Amino acid sequence: MTHLPDQGPQPGVHDLGYARLDTDRLERTGDAEVVYGAGKAPAQIVELLRTLHETHPDHAVLATRLSEEAQEAVAAAHPSAVVDPVGRTAVLGTPPVLRGTVAVVSAGTSDAPVAAEAATTARVFGAEVDLITDVGVAGLHRVMGVRERLDAADCLVVVAGMEGALASVVGGLVGVPLVAVPTSVGYGASFGGVAALLAMLNSCAPGVSVVNIDNGFGAGVFAARVARRAAPQEAKDQP
Amino acid sequence: MTHLPDQGPQPGVHDLGYARLDTDRLERTGDAEVVYGAGKAPAQIVELLRTLHETHPDHAVLATRLSEEAQEAVAAAHPSAVVDPVGRTAVLGTPPVLRGTVAVVSAGTSDAPVAAEAATTARVFGAEVDLITDVGVAGLHRVMGVRERLDAADCLVVVAGMEGALASVVGGLVGVPLVAVPTSVGYGASFGGVAALLAMLNSCAPGVSVVNIDNGFGAGVFAARVARRAAPQEAKDQP
Amino acid sequence: MTHLPDQGPQPGVHDLGYARLDTDRLERTGDAEVVYGAGKAPAQIVELLRTLHETHPDHAVLATRLSEEAQEAVAAAHPSAVVDPVGRTAVLGTPPVLRGTVAVVSAGTSDAPVAAEAATTARVFGAEVDLITDVGVAGLHRVMGVRERLDAADCLVVVAGMEGALASVVGGLVGVPLVAVPTSVGYGASFGGVAALLAMLNSCAPGVSVVNIDNGFGAGVFAARVARRAAPQEAKDQP
Amino acid sequence: MTHLPDQGPQPGVHDLGYARLDTDRLERTGDAEVVYGAGKAPAQIVELLRTLHETHPDHAVLATRLSEEAQEAVAAAHPSAVVDPVGRTAVLGTPPVLRGTVAVVSAGTSDAPVAAEAATTARVFGAEVDLITDVGVAGLHRVMGVRERLDAADCLVVVAGMEGALASVVGGLVGVPLVAVPTSVGYGASFGGVAALLAMLNSCAPGVSVVNIDNGFGAGVFAARVARRAAPQEAKDQP
Amino acid sequence: MTHLPDQGPQPGVHDLGYARLDTDRLERTGDAEVVYGAGKAPAQIVELLRTLHETHPDHAVLATRLSEEAQEAVAAAHPSAVVDPVGRTAVLGTPPVLRGTVAVVSAGTSDAPVAAEAATTARVFGAEVDLITDVGVAGLHRVMGVRERLDAADCLVVVAGMEGALASVVGGLVGVPLVAVPTSVGYGASFGGVAALLAMLNSCAPGVSVVNIDNGFGAGVFAARVARRAAPQEAKDQP
Amino acid sequence: MTHLPDQGPQPGVHDLGYARLDTDRLERTGDAEVVYGAGKAPAQIVELLRTLHETHPDHAVLATRLSEEAQEAVAAAHPSAVVDPVGRTAVLGTPPVLRGTVAVVSAGTSDAPVAAEAATTARVFGAEVDLITDVGVAGLHRVMGVRERLDAADCLVVVAGMEGALASVVGGLVGVPLVAVPTSVGYGASFGGVAALLAMLNSCAPGVSVVNIDNGFGAGVFAARVARRAAPQEAKDQP
Amino acid sequence: MTHLPDQGPQPGVHDLGYARLDTDRLERTGDAEVVYGAGKAPAQIVELLRTLHETHPDHAVLATRLSEEAQEAVAAAHPSAVVDPVGRTAVLGTPPVLRGTVAVVSAGTSDAPVAAEAATTARVFGAEVDLITDVGVAGLHRVMGVRERLDAADCLVVVAGMEGALASVVGGLVGVPLVAVPTSVGYGASFGGVAALLAMLNSCAPGVSVVNIDNGFGAGVFAARVARRAAPQEAKDQP
Amino acid sequence: MTHLPDQGPQPGVHDLGYARLDTDRLERTGDAEVVYGAGKAPAQIVELLRTLHETHPDHAVLATRLSEEAQEAVAAAHPSAVVDPVGRTAVLGTPPVLRGTVAVVSAGTSDAPVAAEAATTARVFGAEVDLITDVGVAGLHRVMGVRERLDAADCLVVVAGMEGALASVVGGLVGVPLVAVPTSVGYGASFGGVAALLAMLNSCAPGVSVVNIDNGFGAGVFAARVARRAAPQEAKDQP
């Protein structure tokens, strides 16, 4: 069976056969494309990381949602890559100069993978990270005890499953821009994170925005963009 | 068109034609039947209250979900009735001796009608009530400031719409049995109270139970039963 | 990659690295924290139980939702622990003096694990338990036959899947506070317990409250708090 | 603007311009077509009833879901019609000889309109009706008191809103074929009858079938067809 | 940990420890209890079948939803049992005299297991069965070709997944009582049978009732009860 | 409060202050922009129609979803406009030469407005229309009787509410491309057209595509584009 | 247990015992029946393909949704079959003369299997295919770069998961009939393709129609029927 | 009926009887409390605005979701207030010095009210606003034409209903932090904004965060906080 002939290479696109990388994205948006590992073969992930790294040799490039097999394949093929088994990420290349601070705050032990994905993403996208874990609202003294760290950040990422109340509590304590990440932690009528998602969308605290369930990556991108704008490069370069 | 003949009066049932009252309920459960006013004509509500009052002359009887017309009709027909336009309730007859305390705690101004329904119901069902309003989690100092009143109660009714986080925050502060009432306050993805309902069902604080959206009545019944058991009649009769 | 320095230990928090225990909870709410086993490694569960036991040597501490591997690990590490394979729980330490009675009532054979979790939890939280199984409404004589046991309890936990009608039937028979637990037993349009959950939230019997699907633990905590308030410690200490 | 020419009259179809009646249905299925009044103008309903009556002069014809205006228009145009304001129906023509008995059982006062629609429909479709109202499960003695009437019927129609438990309780008491009708009575998480619908679909009592929310008409048709088959015409013709 | 003492055996209940059989059901409803095999161990199913068979030696008893292991265990323990691997059922004991006819009609090849469960159930509950398969509406000539068999039945069971249109088409062709069974056959927006369920509940053909998704058993019970009433025992006993 | 200055007019956009018309659409896609009347004031609709008409003097322009007030305003302001109160549309300007035929087929009387909107749209977008109404599947002879008209069309639009089975039945009869339009006709578990939408998405007949609930406009656009491609302009220009 | 006797072979049906093929479909609709492989045994698929091939020796016949085992079985039994492991299809027999062009456009790498199924189906049903992959809207230059190929097609199939925005973007660029296929690619609140499905149903671009989630087959059938009508056989026969 | 005595005024709370204002919020979060007008009486809104204005005389205070009556009451009572009938807002007091720029981008005419609410809120919370309307993706040249204005902003608010594709298209064009607001504009399967909400949560463009349906206020707060951090006060004070 015959196809119409392909119309040749396009500018801003690197064609690997099974995927076409958007190599123009760095120039267009300031950030390079990222390898989303779910559903891809380990060998594909290895090659995609290599291609991105070669295209953007002066930037760190990121792969997310890596299976254990993919993590091992990346570590073997790219010995300089930093692989995080908790957040299931790999980073290849020189990290950027970090500007501004993102505080990643999580409610429970089971939220750790999503918090780690957000933290790594925020660093690759150029922000410092303050990671604050296990401050669920069932023990309010834990979140009250870190109020100053929350206030010192340029952007907050709040990660919580179950009823997701942490976003509202934190959002009422400080005026820092806050991105909430609902997680699929829970059972029964949590519906795989829908309960937390709805709670965060309906937060009574003003200024809370939300990303998809378990989307630590998206929250990290967003928060880093906010944080690094808040801290101009000159200011950070000279301390 | 002919019906099969009715098989005559049943014990424990008072037949008004358009409704059959469960007059046995007081003996069976300790509490009389209640008039649910939604969808009933004002004249029917007046007659149902009168019938319940005559059947149980030594108890207070309650009507809920009364339209403005129904409230006026009840006030006109039963001058001794106590009509509450906020909670849309009417009470007829001698209030019981109150035992134990129910604290009814609400998050926002718009939750007032549901909180009032819960409070009136709890009193008619035999418990004292401490009403604590407008302590939403966006200003945590408000709920922290009433911590001792929460701790002093025998049962808590927590009323909140939007993301319903107040139930988790209160449930983490004290060990008092807590019944949460989601309200339909909110818009968009609150889905008429579903967001708050799911949040409360998934509360990370242990020991939170939930009733239907806007069901202040159900929470009031439940909480009064808990509170009056916690305070034996003898103890309360002698101060 | 560097984090901001951690601000040191917080009071009321025991940091194990992968989890931060709320050691203040016992003083704050009267009940110690509990190990929720789902998603945790057996070794973590063993250590969390040990830490809780050492923090609260005079109380029984509880772990729930234990996999078979976790049950075996706990039994091996803590020979004095009581492990229940039906309810998938483990209890370590001296049980409390039991006050008041919780009746745990279940509809069908498949509801047994949730009923067992509720029963064990209620005992660890300080109440006696009367376990009544397999009294589904398709054979009403079964539930009618235990009416006196229902009436004698201080709080009822009603466990049912499918259409969840048992909560309404029991709630209409007696005036005891009733917490309903929908289970995920069923198929098709039961939607993993949603049908039972909605039925229980809409019960026509007054005074029914509800917890999350399969949440025997939450119902047990709630019911024990109600039951032990109903039976003051003095009274129970002197038989 | 021009249409393609219509291809002329079809057999078994009576074309009124705004509607095409299925005049073949009586021969095909044994029952005539019915006028569904929702969304139709009173004058259209009057004409549709007249047309059906003229087509089937020896049968009773039925209109359902009539607004008050439509009821008045039908009563004015067809003085011999029997109009029921509770069930919002009108019947025109000679009722059939009734065979077999349908018991229509309803849970609460607010279910009366749906129960009346089912009862009238069952009679027009040829069955006797025993109407049993207000036997909700919150007072089980009420339904236990009519057990013999339930057992004597050839088919049961059980009408209930809220949690719809009546279908399971009745279905466990007797072995008569049972059609359940969920009603939109309720609020909050009843979702306009969805809670009752799901409960009925998941009934633990075997042999319960279900129709759409508030569909008294459908239940009446179904039950009449069952009942009249159970009682051969000869037997009933000779009392 | 101690339980309150059990209050001894109840009449009408056979207690096997892990399950309490409703041995009174045959007398109460005319049909014996059935073993629902899902989630039960093969040995339990074998024992439950034996107990039911011993309690009702003159009736056939049924087990449904049997895994392959359970089917083998039943065949080994009860050599006289009839095991059907398509419908995943087992029948033990003398079949009843069959009265009336149930036509079980299915749309596609994948609906066969549900159709087989319905057919076996209808026979055990006392009706003859006419099985008509693979008559989906995408080829209307197939269902038109069996119109007479449909018309000859006393009750129809229509089994279909995907869009479930077969129920409406059959319901428009004949006036026989029709029970529709949605199946979980389909993908994407069929939502595990919900699309077919909703279609059947909204059928434009009058007189269609519905059971739960994949509930061939429930449809079989219902249809058999309708069919055997339609054909009095005397008539069938004498040919 | 000051805005940044607007950057002036854009090519291909006509700015009316309250709306910016896409005047480039005709050249880009072959069809002009359309006025969607819902939520717009009658005077705005009049002006938008006039502007479109002036921009495209050689084409017919269309407005949909017109309230009665808007219909009257358009008729008064544009005497040459063709206003259809059933489909709630208005057409202004010279109709195009019609190529190819769209058959618009509807199931019930209440589906007429959506069918009319589809028919008018298809004509404005350049196709002849054959309108076939009231051929619901409860009386199959009606749809069988128009089989040849269905087969003669170049594209079919099938409009149905309730269970939407008509799409599957028609899709099984002929091989013409078929666009299905679910309507919000129905009640209870039809959920405002969702039941029909799901049924159509899951049709067992191959080659059925679907548009949004009540979206007669979208179906008309789509079908006209298919039909006019099927009938080249030359062929139609010479009869 | 005895069945009623089968009433013999029907015209237009080929009975294989476990399935009844609709052999009349080719004559009725112009396209032969297709083997839907999900849930069927490899041996059944092999036999069904053979039967279809023998019935329609002059046409290509198609099997979809083939497991790896089924693909291997088909390749072994029918060496001339073309098996595609990406789209999970097999084609047996002489391909038709292709008329008109379907452009299959997909958003991301993970959408490839659905795009491949659509492409193969469109060819078997008689249209040429232009496959355009990985043109997601996050890099608009990719889709802008293929605008002329989109415009040259007779029908478009747009395949996208996640938010499905590609359908609206393409639909706004060209006036070619467009069938959108939502895929189950995504996570969290994509709900297995529901987010993309809803987006496509609500597209602001006119003339977008939609098929079921992951239904590349249905889109391919539909698009081929549109494309081959647009290109009369004579024209194509003479190059 | 007696309440427990209130425990007197709390710091940081201003009690108006029907509402308790959080007067501490400005100090805690940098922004004053806002009057949410939905469900409040015009006189209450007037008084709440006055109280907020008196508490924070140096800030602008805001009221949202004002009915026409409330808008008139505010204009009459506070002549210096700026009332916007499109966004249904009122602002009282001195506007702050504006820092940074928020671009508010909307897809269609019907999205104007939500865009206006977002724009006014962003200004009251301290950011300049660039309002860009009617750039829906059905005419891509409109959004491409404003690419530079998008790139120049410090934060983007993208407002869209229907399928919400504008968020993905804008998010792929520039790297500015982007908050998406789904609107309830649409019909049928848009489900009051749910389709747009899900699309935005699943955006394939990285760095998109989302607020509740129609929540222009929340997006405005969030975006202003991001924008004013990006532009330090000193820099803006000296042009």
Side-chain angles (χ1 to χ4, degrees), chain C residues 136-140 143-144 161-165 168-169 171-173 186-191 194-195 198-206, chain D residues 136-140 143-144 161-165 168-169 171-173 186-191 194-195 198-206:
Chain C
V137 301
L140 266 188
V143 65
M144 303 298 253
M162 302 178 78
E163 93 283 57
S168 295
V169 166
L173 282 179
Y187 60 90
S190 81
F191 300 125
V194 169
L198 293 184
M200 289 165 168
L201 286 168
N202 286 284
S203 176
C204 59
Chain D
V137 301
L140 267 188
V143 65
M144 303 298 250
M162 302 178 78
E163 92 283 58
S168 295
V169 166
L173 283 178
Y187 60 89
S190 80
F191 300 125
V194 169
L198 294 183
M200 288 164 168
L201 286 168
N202 286 282
S203 176
C204 60

Side-chain angles (χ1 to χ4, degrees), chain H residues 156-178:
Chain H
L156 299 172
V157 173
V158 175
V159 181
M162 302 178 77
E163 92 285 56
L166 186 61
S168 294
V169 166
V170 170
L173 282 178
V174 296
V176 180
L178 190 167

Side-chain angles (χ1 to χ4, degrees), chain B residues 32-37 45 48-49 52-53 59-66 82 88-93 117 120-122 124-125 217 221:
Chain B
E33 194 166 6
V34 169
V35 180
Y36 177 72
I45 293 167
L48 285 163
L49 264 181
L52 280 175
H53 184 41
H59 287 73
V61 292
L62 172 68
T64 64
R65 305 266 169 150
L66 302 183
V82 178
R88 295 182 296 151
T89 51
V91 181
L92 188 61
E117 187 186 83
T120 297
T121 302
V124 170
F125 277 72
F217 166 70
V221 170

Side-chain angles (χ1 to χ4, degrees), chain A residues 136-140 143-144 161-165 168-169 171-173 186-191 194-195 198-206, chain B residues 136-140 143-144 161-165 168-169 171-173 186-191 194-195 198-206:
Chain A
V137 301
L140 266 188
V143 66
M144 302 299 251
M162 302 178 78
E163 92 283 56
S168 295
V169 166
L173 283 178
Y187 60 89
S190 80
F191 301 124
V194 168
L198 294 183
M200 289 165 167
L201 286 168
N202 286 283
S203 176
C204 60
Chain B
V137 301
L140 266 188
V143 65
M144 303 299 252
M162 303 179 78
E163 92 284 57
S168 294
V169 166
L173 283 178
Y187 59 90
S190 80
F191 300 124
V194 169
L198 294 183
M200 289 165 168
L201 286 169
N202 286 283
S203 176
C204 60

Side-chain angles (χ1 to χ4, degrees), chain G residues 136-140 143-144 161-165 168-169 171-173 186-191 194-195 198-206, chain H residues 136-140 143-144 161-165 168-169 171-173 186-191 194-195 198-206:
Chain G
V137 301
L140 266 188
V143 65
M144 303 298 251
M162 302 178 77
E163 92 284 56
S168 295
V169 166
L173 283 178
Y187 59 89
S190 80
F191 301 124
V194 168
L198 294 183
M200 288 165 169
L201 287 168
N202 286 284
S203 176
C204 59
Chain H
V137 300
L140 268 188
V143 66
M144 303 298 252
M162 302 178 77
E163 92 285 56
S168 294
V169 166
L173 282 178
Y187 60 89
S190 80
F191 300 125
V194 168
L198 294 183
M200 289 164 168
L201 287 169
N202 286 284
S203 176
C204 60

Side-chain angles (χ1 to χ4, degrees), chain D residues 8 10 23 25 35 46 50 65 73 89 95 110 115-116 121 124 133 150 156 160 171 176 185 210 215 223 225 238:
Chain D
Q10 282 185 273
T23 52
R25 185 172 296 178
V35 180
V46 165
R50 175 181 298 121
R65 306 265 168 152
T89 52
S110 308
T121 301
V124 170
T133 58
L150 300 172
L156 299 171
V176 180
V185 171
V210 186
N215 189 6
R225 287 179 173 175
Q238 300 156 2

Side-chain angles (χ1 to χ4, degrees), chain E residues 136-140 143-144 161-165 168-169 171-173 186-191 194-195 198-206, chain F residues 136-140 143-144 161-165 168-169 171-173 186-191 194-195 198-206:
Chain E
V137 300
L140 267 188
V143 65
M144 303 299 251
M162 303 179 77
E163 91 285 56
S168 295
V169 166
L173 282 179
Y187 60 89
S190 81
F191 300 124
V194 169
L198 294 183
M200 288 165 169
L201 286 168
N202 286 284
S203 176
C204 60
Chain F
V137 300
L140 267 188
V143 66
M144 303 298 252
M162 303 178 76
E163 92 284 57
S168 295
V169 166
L173 283 178
Y187 59 89
S190 81
F191 301 125
V194 168
L198 294 183
M200 288 165 168
L201 286 169
N202 286 284
S203 176
C204 60

